[in-house]
Amino acid sequence: MNEESRESVPVETVPEASVSHSPSPVKRFLSTGRGKALIAAVIVVALLAVASQQVYARPVDDPFVRTMASVFPFPALSVNGTTVTMKEYLAEYDALKKYFADQGGEAPPADQLEIAIADTLVNKMAIVQLAEARGVAVDADRVEQYYADILASQESEDAFVTELQNTFGWSVEEFKNRVVESIVLALQMSEVILADSSLQQSRKDTIDAAYARVVGGEDFATVAKEVNTGFDAGLEADLGYVKLSVIPESWASAVDALSIGSMTEVLDLPEGYAVFKAEDRTVSGDETQIHLLSITVPKVTLEEVVKDYLASVTVKRYVGET
């Protein structure tokens, strides 16, 4: 049989649709329980990302912001890794708004109010962290004493409790926690900072150098003006005539012992270092007045320490940006 006489044998083709394809590994995984859970998680993350963008784009008193903040712990502020949530931030915001409304006054613009609250909370967190680093805990006895001092100026405790609720929406315990404890801790830390000789050493060196210059023959008033204005342009060298009866105990006796033209040694006062010189003295009845010149070097304050601390750590403001 030759080539031309051969019958052609048709080749059977299989329709493409009937070919069996195995699902890809990804599809097989996504069809499992874990895969479906992963899909759900991705959707939730995407929704949270959108919600987060909206939370920070809208005013803090927007209903959507409040709803989301009550459900999710969106951060409002962060200082050195410690976070204040939007819910906590809004509690402070609402209390302040309620205060202005109760007083019949107009609250500052929302953006200014947000910044003020953020500044306060950032500073409070910084003080707490500095206190923890120095092992300083809130003195519970001082908290109670401070609260008692507040009550002493009120009509009655019942009236004060009512005012707290009406003005801020706080209970007594909330007031102590939000306000009194913060004030007491700040007072404690201020005392610690002022008493820290190593922290104050540079200021002590400054007053010692000024004292040495005066002892060496330089004009007291000239040195005083130079040193004082180096710290505060409004810090006067000439105090004028000062009644002895109004001078604080911490330096009253040293000044009272001065003869005209003499000066004290360097005095370590609660909030600074000083050298006083008596220019004149007058006595009228039981009242003594002394014309004083002063070289004054203020000590490093808690405010300065907080400012330096905040400059050295990471501070994030999601609301209340300056």
Side-chain angles (χ1 to χ4, degrees):
M1 185 171 58
N2 58 33
E3 292 291 329
E4 291 181 356
S5 63
R6 285 181 187 168
E7 295 183 2
S8 297
V9 180
V11 177
E12 185 177 356
T13 60
V14 180
E16 183 178 351
S18 67
V19 176
S20 176
H21 293 284
S22 297
S24 68
V26 173
K27 288 184 178 180
R28 285 200 303 271
F29 171 73
L30 292 179
S31 67
T32 66
R34 289 186 178 180
K36 292 176 181 178
L38 177 61
I39 293 173
V42 170
I43 293 172
V44 169
V45 169
L47 291 174
L48 279 175
V50 173
S52 176
Q53 189 275 333
Q54 288 296 309
V55 164
Y56 297 122
R58 301 185 184 200
V60 296
D61 53 1
D62 185 275
F64 176 80
V65 174
R66 292 182 173 277
T67 299
M68 296 303 294
S70 67
V71 178
F72 300 103
F74 288 108
L77 307 161
S78 175
V79 176
N80 197 27
T82 300
T83 299
V84 169
T85 65
M86 283 293 293
K87 184 177 181 179
E88 294 167 326
Y89 179 91
L90 285 170
E92 298 287 339
Y93 182 89
D94 289 344
L96 204 53
K97 289 273 286 189
K98 187 173 176 59
Y99 168 78
F100 283 111
D102 185 72
Q103 297 300 309
E106 184 177 350
D111 57 342
Q112 294 182 20
L113 197 60
E114 289 178 27
I115 291 172
I117 294 170
D119 287 344
T120 300
L121 290 175
V122 166
N123 285 334
K124 284 172 66 173
M125 284 193 288
I127 292 172
V128 168
Q129 292 173 11
L130 287 167
E132 289 175 349
R134 288 176 172 264
V136 178
V138 177
D139 188 328
D141 291 337
R142 288 183 67 170
V143 169
E144 293 304 319
Q145 183 58 54
Y146 196 95
Y147 177 68
D149 291 343
I150 293 174
L151 287 182
S153 63
Q154 305 298 314
E155 177 185 340
S156 69
E157 183 169 13
D158 288 342
F160 181 67
V161 170
T162 301
E163 184 179 353
L164 272 182
Q165 183 59 45
N166 293 339
T167 305
F168 297 102
W170 291 341
S171 66
V172 170
E173 287 308 310
E174 286 176 312
F175 173 67
K176 288 180 181 179
N177 179 258
R178 293 176 181 275
V179 178
V180 181
E181 287 186 7
S182 295
I183 293 173
V184 169
L185 184 61
L187 290 172
Q188 289 178 243
M189 280 300 296
S190 181
E191 293 165 1
V192 169
I193 295 302
L194 293 173
D196 188 334
S197 58
S198 60
L199 184 62
Q200 304 297 342
Q201 188 59 53
S202 64
R203 302 293 174 91
K204 180 64 165 57
D205 291 342
T206 299
I207 193 75
D208 287 343
Y211 180 73
R213 288 171 60 187
V214 174
V215 170
E218 292 190 49
D219 179 64
F220 189 100
T222 301
V223 174
K225 183 176 180 180
E226 177 187 325
V227 173
N228 293 4
T229 55
F231 290 98
D232 184 348
L235 199 57
E236 295 290 341
D238 191 337
L239 303 182
Y241 283 87
V242 183
K243 293 180 179 180
L244 188 61
S245 60
V246 303
I247 294 176
E249 286 185 18
S250 56
W251 48 283
S253 59
V255 166
D256 188 31
L258 291 176
S259 58
I260 296 175
S262 65
M263 65 180 184
T264 66
E265 296 181 341
V266 173
L267 302 180
D268 185 346
L269 307 177
E271 297 182 353
Y273 302 99
V275 178
F276 296 98
K277 181 182 180 182
E279 289 286 279
D280 192 19
R281 175 188 290 259
T282 63
V283 178
S284 178
D286 295 332
E287 188 66 74
T288 298
Q289 295 190 82
I290 305 174
H291 182 189
L292 292 172
L293 301 182
S294 171
I295 303 174
T296 305
V297 174
K299 289 182 177 179
V300 176
T301 64
L302 175 60
E303 181 181 1
E304 292 173 277
V305 172
V306 167
K307 182 179 179 180
D308 290 343
Y309 175 72
L310 291 175
S312 71
V313 300
T314 301
V315 178
K316 296 180 181 179
R317 290 174 178 244
Y318 302 94
V319 294
E321 294 183 273
T322 54

